[in-house]
């Protein structure tokens, strides 16, 4: 059974930092991508960042470029999202998800992709 467990959310002041973790288990795929999405109150869910397992290619949406960094620790089967210079508009529930249809070397239209599995979210609140 594929499981994704997100953690690390909390309350932080604007300009502060948080690091989210996504622990992944139950995988048998060689090539896949792990992504972070978020959903703010009253808004649609949006993609934030993504990293491929095989070649480490990363993707970011414009609103977080230069502030967020995605990384992975294969030994721990964990993907991280380091979030710096947080803004009130980053307030949302953050979800990690996996796309098992990802193919290294092919164009990947993140965030306009369908994810295969989703984990439960972790709440990030940024106060002004």
């Amino acid at each position: 059974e594929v499981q994704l467990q997100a953690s690390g959310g909390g309350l932080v002041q604007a300009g502060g930092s948080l690091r989210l973790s996504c622990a992944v288990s139950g995988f048998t795929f060689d090539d896949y991508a792990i992504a972070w999405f978020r959903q703010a109150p009253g808004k649609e869910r949006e993609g934030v960042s993504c990293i491929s397992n095989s070649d480490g290619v990363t993707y970011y949406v414009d609103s977080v470029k230069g502030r967020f960094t995605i990384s992975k620790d294969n030994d721990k089967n964990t993907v991280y999202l380091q979030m710096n210079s947080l803004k009130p508009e980053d307030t949302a529930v953050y979800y990690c998800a996996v796309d098992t249809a990802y193919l290294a070397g092919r164009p990947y239209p993140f965030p306009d992709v369908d994810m295969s599995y989703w984990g439960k979210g972790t709440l990030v609140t940024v106060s002004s």
Side-chain angles (χ1 to χ4, degrees), residues 31-94:
D31 205 359
Y32 56 89
I34 302 286
W36 287 97
F37 287 75
R38 65 186 180 187
Q39 187 166 21
K43 295 187 176 181
E44 293 187 354
R45 185 172 60 198
E46 64 171 351
V48 175
S49 183
C50 184
I51 187 167
S52 71
N53 176 65
S54 58
D55 53 15
V57 175
T58 58
Y59 306 82
Y60 298 93
V61 293
D62 288 343
S63 59
V64 306
K65 283 181 180 177
R67 300 189 299 123
F68 291 10
T69 303
I70 192 169
S71 62
K72 61 186 179 73
D73 184 332
N74 289 339
D75 290 338
K76 296 182 178 180
N77 292 327
T78 300
V79 171
Y80 303 99
L81 185 68
Q82 178 67 43
M83 306 186 296
N84 299 329
S85 302
L86 283 161
K87 304 175 181 180
E89 51 263 44
D90 295 317
T91 294
V93 177
Y94 284 70

Side-chain angles (χ1 to χ4, degrees), residues 109-120:
F110 184 80
D112 299 323
V113 294
D114 292 325
M115 308 308 286
S116 310
Y117 300 94
W118 291 84
K120 294 182 179 180

Side-chain angles (χ1 to χ4, degrees), residues 2 4 24 26-35 97-104 108 113-117:
V2 176
L4 299 98
V24 182
F27 259 82
T28 58
F29 303 99
D30 293 328
D31 205 359
Y32 56 89
I34 302 286
V98 61
D99 180 5
T100 59
Y102 177 88
L103 292 175
Y108 192 62
V113 294
D114 292 325
M115 308 308 286
S116 310
Y117 300 94

